[in-house]
Amino acid sequence: MLQSQYRWKIAEPYPAVRDELARELQISPLLASLLANRGIDTSESAHRFLHGRDESLYDPYLLLGMDRAIPRIRVALERNEHILIYGDYDADGVSSTALMIHLMRRLGASYDIYIPHRSNEGYGLHNHAMDWAHQQGVSLVITVDTGISAVEQIAYAAALGMDVIVTDHHEPPAVLPEAYALINPKIPGCPYPFKGLAGVGVALKLAQALLGEVPAHWFEIAAIGTVADLMPLHDENRVIVRRGIEAMRASAFPGIEALLQISGVDMAAVSSVNIAFALAPRINASGRLDHAGRAVALLTTEDADEADKLAHELDLLNKERQQVVNDIVGQAIEMLEDKISGSGLPPVIVIAGEGWNVGVVGIVASKLLERYYRPTIILGIDPETGNCKGSARSIPGLDIYEALTDCKELMDHFGGHPSAAGMSLHRDRLEQFEQRLHHFADARLLPEHFVPVAEVDAECRLGELNVNVAEQLELLQPFGMANPSPRLVLRKLRLREARKMGKEKTHLKLVMEQDGSMLDVVAFGRGELADFLQPGSLVDVLGELSINEWNGKRSLQLMLQDIQVTASQVFDFRGEADPVGLMERCTRIFHQDSADRAPVAAVVGPHSPFRKTSSLNDDRIWVYDKNTGILPENESADLAVKDTVRTLFLLDLPGTIEQFNALWTIFPKVENIVVMHSKNGYHGRLETPDREQFKRIYVLLRKLGTGPLDEKTILPALSRQCSISVRMMSRVLEVFEELGFVHREDGILSCVPNPPKKELTSSHRFHELNEAAEMERYLLDAGTPQLASWMMSRLEGVS
């Protein structure tokens, strides 16, 4: 049995709406169902969503503050005032700044830009930056993707004689800055009909208000920031990103073209997914490890050679960023495991480390959230000053911005969204900061909030899917927040093949079948699962449809996101060279939802070397026993609640069928049986009883006389004459003893002169020998399918 990583939450179907949309638009029922699930329930709105290319943008003057900002900018242009564009260092801030540079160039403005250094300065406006701007002769500051919380800094700028126009999209605080103009669709009372604009979206609206109509290729830059900042891709954002992608396929920007090339993206087929996973990480790498100005230069250069040089630099920075992230993740996990040893995971994870690059702590927080599924805050500590800068990532059950607001007096600065935020504070306040967050989360989070949920669009059968259906689903593009790539669940697929692929064998390729239809399933980075998926099994999968093109042939493919096997399974790892390592792998794969070793037990033989293996001390170890079947070997096993054991490791061969059967009595809820004993080195093999063989052995015994005979002497001799093991010969004598053919006592054997006439099959020992021989034949000689089938039949028979 293989548990799914997520709880699959399948959307409620709307059959009436689905059937109407499918009929009127001549689309597949699946696409119609997905549209209905996204709230698009009329043929008119569905046609506009799928095929609309002429959607208009909202009037920018609906944004509160726009009617005040535009006249001020026009005055600045007329008077040739020096304007400062103040941006941010993430991909949205970089895009916003680049867009404003293109706007300033087009307007012929006198301008400068300022983006704070992530590590040295941190997020937001800074007074020293205002001092610098004043020295440069700036009289008007326009912020992009920042400023809505900068009450003190904007007041300071005003005191220096500079007007500040804020364009931002972050959550506004209770007290707003007294800027010349505040433009943010989330400001209370703002009538703008769409609240989900990115920072670059708000900048685009400012450009639209100034120019009337913005150049089509500027949407490329707006699309990057919108997708990178995880803004909802519906309403106006859908228009912005769709126009941006269309322009990007024949990009007018040398920097974007160079970045697509270095990322290995086909320009003609660029999508929102490419923006999210190819462009955005490289743009972000600039601000994380260096200064965001390099990325701004890439998006604003008009020189192809410079663009190529900058794109290569960003690519190298991104590779360096990946290594830095991996190092910090490893350290953070080690610190967390030490911190929670014996106490369990807290409601909010807070980990801080000296010298950690604050430019990547957000990524680290995301990775720990993915691993532990808890709201996570990762902070880098400056060892000299003790100042901490961090990033938070949260789960749907906790608004992290609200949580930070609750303890705002402990921080020097904070800002963000319900799912992500940033903050700074001194290390002396870390403990109190963590306790306050725990208290806040404890009052709001319930146990179900800690179970990751995968939102599923539909459940269908394989026969409903084909290349044409997959092509229709592409009409839902661009995919992103609030308009995700469709997730489908298919149940009871028969697994025909499971193998690792890729140069390092880190990826997974499955071949599935249902009702005669075949499907290739691919999962990147999950090659290890191939060892735990058995051909012939019935499997449930969750994934996204795609079309694989190879040698001119187009075929349906599913990109796997989750998988489960609901039936119990037997895994054949006989002769495994590293049993302890395998146990760790299995525990990680089978029980990723468990915080302890509770679901796992291992069984060893009485003379097994594993009884002395220190690396198994924390595991529940049981040992085969000739009287009771199995006994607990250590304290962990002795205290175990046996009904909780779901995976059983058989490190050694059981000695008797009674010992084998005892496993299923002791562990009635076992789901996975991992067989790991050696197939070699068993010299005392039992054989299936043969009547003629028994007759021959009895004749040989009678020839030796009535006795008394020393068993230690005659057993090896009889073993050699009959070509069977000494152990087998001893079991034969047990049968003869039960039937009254011989008498045995204290190692002395005597033949009964006039034995009773009894059939071999009347002996209980004979049947035990038959079952034990069959057990050994399967456990040592059978192929994997035969072994699995036999073990499952025994398990079902005992239960």
Side-chain angles (χ1 to χ4, degrees), residues 99-151:
L99 186 67
M100 291 301 292
I101 288 174
H102 287 292
L103 176 63
M104 294 294 105
R105 287 176 180 174
R106 189 177 187 88
L107 295 172
S110 170
Y111 72 95
D112 229 320
I113 69 167
Y114 191 96
I115 297 178
H117 192 284
R118 185 191 290 259
S119 301
N120 299 336
E121 297 173 278
Y123 176 81
L125 273 67
H126 301 281
N127 285 349
H128 65 263
M130 297 299 99
D131 287 332
W132 174 85
H134 184 250
Q135 292 169 5
Q136 302 304 309
V138 169
S139 55
L140 175 62
V141 178
I142 303 175
T143 76
V144 285
D145 193 35
T146 188
I148 197 63
S149 300
V151 175

Side-chain angles (χ1 to χ4, degrees), residues 61-108:
Y61 283 96
L62 292 174
L63 281 162
L64 194 66
M66 190 69 79
D67 58 347
R68 182 166 167 79
I70 297 304
R72 177 65 184 89
I73 296 173
R74 294 197 189 283
V75 167
L77 294 171
E78 291 170 3
R79 295 177 178 175
N80 199 32
E81 293 181 46
H82 198 47
I83 301 172
L84 178 68
I85 306 301
Y86 195 108
D88 187 30
Y89 39 66
D90 68 1
D92 187 16
V94 166
S95 302
S96 303
T97 305
L99 186 67
M100 291 301 292
I101 288 174
H102 287 292
L103 176 63
M104 294 294 105
R105 287 176 180 174
R106 189 177 187 88
L107 295 172

Side-chain angles (χ1 to χ4, degrees), residues 384-399:
E384 295 182 1
T385 65
N387 293 328
C388 306
K389 294 179 182 178
S391 287
R393 298 292 184 269
S394 193
I395 60 178
L398 186 76
D399 183 330

Side-chain angles (χ1 to χ4, degrees), residues 670-681:
V670 68
E671 300 168 351
N672 300 304
I673 306 162
V674 185
V675 184
M676 299 176 6
H677 63 260
S678 173
K679 296 174 69 172
N680 304 314

Side-chain angles (χ1 to χ4, degrees), residues 31-42:
L31 176 56
S33 180
L34 298 180
L35 288 167
N37 290 344
R38 283 160 165 75
I40 303 165
D41 53 8
T42 68

Side-chain angles (χ1 to χ4, degrees), residues 72-349:
R72 177 65 184 89
I73 296 173
R74 294 197 189 283
V75 167
L77 294 171
E78 291 170 3
R79 295 177 178 175
N80 199 32
E81 293 181 46
H82 198 47
I83 301 172
L84 178 68
I85 306 301
Y86 195 108
D88 187 30
Y89 39 66
D90 68 1
D92 187 16
V94 166
S95 302
S96 303
T97 305
L99 186 67
M100 291 301 292
I101 288 174
H102 287 292
L103 176 63
M104 294 294 105
R105 287 176 180 174
R106 189 177 187 88
L107 295 172
S110 170
Y111 72 95
D112 229 320
I113 69 167
Y114 191 96
I115 297 178
H117 192 284
R118 185 191 290 259
S119 301
N120 299 336
E121 297 173 278
Y123 176 81
L125 273 67
H126 301 281
N127 285 349
H128 65 263
M130 297 299 99
D131 287 332
W132 174 85
H134 184 250
Q135 292 169 5
Q136 302 304 309
V138 169
S139 55
L140 175 62
V141 178
I142 303 175
T143 76
V144 285
D145 193 35
T146 188
I148 197 63
S149 300
V151 175
E152 177 191 338
Q153 294 80 6
I154 290 176
Y156 183 75
L160 294 175
M162 295 184 293
D163 291 334
V164 180
I165 295 173
V166 172
T167 73
D168 200 354
H169 73 126
H170 294 94
E171 297 293 330
V175 178
L176 295 172
E178 294 185 5
Y180 187 91
L182 293 176
I183 304 174
N184 182 335
K186 294 177 181 175
I187 290 176
C190 179
Y192 201 73
F194 180 57
K195 307 298 182 181
L197 289 172
V200 71
V202 180
L204 184 73
K205 303 309 296 185
L206 184 72
Q208 185 186 0
L210 280 165
L211 300 178
E213 184 176 342
V214 297
H217 58 282
W218 287 10
F219 283 91
E220 296 182 50
I221 296 174
I224 291 173
T226 301
V227 172
D229 218 39
L230 304 180
M231 292 296 101
L233 294 193
H234 59 74
D235 207 297
E236 192 169 30
N237 280 347
R238 182 172 173 83
V239 181
I240 291 171
V241 174
R242 185 146 63 184
R243 289 188 184 182
I245 290 173
E246 288 176 352
M248 198 176 290
R249 289 173 179 168
S251 181
F253 295 104
I256 291 179
E257 183 176 357
L259 202 55
L260 289 170
Q261 289 177 351
I262 200 71
S263 306
V265 176
D266 179 7
M267 280 185 63
V270 67
S271 68
S272 56
V273 174
N274 300 136
I275 294 175
F277 295 103
L279 301 190
R282 288 169 172 83
I283 291 172
N284 274 322
S286 178
R288 294 186 190 282
L289 298 186
D290 185 40
H291 190 277
R294 195 180 310 203
V296 172
L298 176 73
L299 295 182
T300 55
T301 183
E302 298 177 355
D303 182 84
D305 291 337
E306 182 186 13
D308 187 63
K309 174 178 175 291
L310 290 168
H312 277 82
E313 290 174 358
L314 293 190
D315 188 56
L316 289 174
L317 280 173
N318 190 51
K319 289 182 171 66
E320 181 183 347
R321 185 271 307 168
Q322 291 170 335
Q323 185 58 55
V324 171
V325 166
N326 291 339
D327 292 343
I328 297 178
V329 166
Q331 295 172 40
I333 289 174
E334 185 175 346
M335 292 169 66
L336 177 62
E337 296 292 348
D338 289 343
K339 190 175 184 178
I340 66 175
S341 179
S343 61
L345 284 169
V348 179
I349 294 170

